[in-house]
Amino acid sequence: KRHLAPDAAPKLRTKYYSLTPFANECSILLTALAHVGSRDEAEQRRAFDAGADRLKLKADSLQMLPAQSFGLTEIDNALTRLRQVSPAQKRKLIQMGAACVAADRLVTVEEAELLRAVGDALDCPIAPLLPGG
């Protein structure tokens, strides 16, 4: 939507310099990334934990959610709120996502494209991930 109707999502000013108030939004994104990469619960948990380690939030503030407890609307809402964080915090979010999708040392097309969509939504474009690159 942002690219087809740029006036629908104006550039937001930085309001937050910490991800602490956004634990729920981070949990939603991290869970979505963990679930897209595998159907195995143990692998999903490992991916979630790998991403969570990058954020350095309180251990109990991030919760892996059941995949059926949220959908695209909740992911979109989370990304909209996270657009208000500083560039340094957005960088942490991208690193979180990269650690999550790379936890099993295999990045699927779906994982790469979801990570790129997250980056784009945060105004942090990520180049396409190419095989062998």
Side-chain angles (χ1 to χ4, degrees):
K1 283 195 287 188
R2 286 184 331 114
H3 294 293
L4 296 175
D7 57 323
K11 197 161 189 116
L12 297 176
R13 287 186 23 230
T14 298
K15 290 185 180 179
Y16 301 94
Y17 295 87
S18 169
L19 291 171
T20 302
F22 299 98
N24 185 55
E25 289 80 1
C26 292
S27 293
I28 289 171
L29 283 184
L30 198 48
T31 299
L33 287 164
H35 280 273
V36 78
S38 176
R39 293 183 189 262
D40 180 70
E41 285 186 37
E43 286 183 27
Q44 291 170 350
R45 172 49 71 180
R46 277 191 295 279
F48 183 92
D49 290 344
D53 286 347
R54 293 294 183 143
L55 291 185
K56 311 252 188 284
L57 296 177
K58 288 183 188 175
D60 61 343
S61 63
L62 295 175
Q63 301 292 322
M64 187 164 168
L65 308 167
Q68 60 274 20
S69 69
F70 63 90
L72 289 177
T73 300
E74 290 79 14
I75 294 171
D76 187 50
N77 291 340
L79 288 167
T80 298
R81 290 209 55 220
L82 288 166
R83 287 183 64 219
Q84 300 175 69
V85 302
S86 70
Q89 299 308 311
K90 288 179 182 179
R91 181 178 180 176
K92 283 184 183 179
L93 290 168
I94 298 301
Q95 291 171 338
M96 169 201 79
C100 180
V101 301
D104 62 357
R105 298 179 171 250
L106 174 69
V107 179
T108 67
V109 171
E110 293 83 5
E111 288 173 313
E113 289 305 310
L114 181 56
L115 183 59
R116 289 187 68 222
V118 167
D120 184 65
L122 296 173
D123 297 319
C124 301
I126 300 172
L129 303 174
L130 302 173

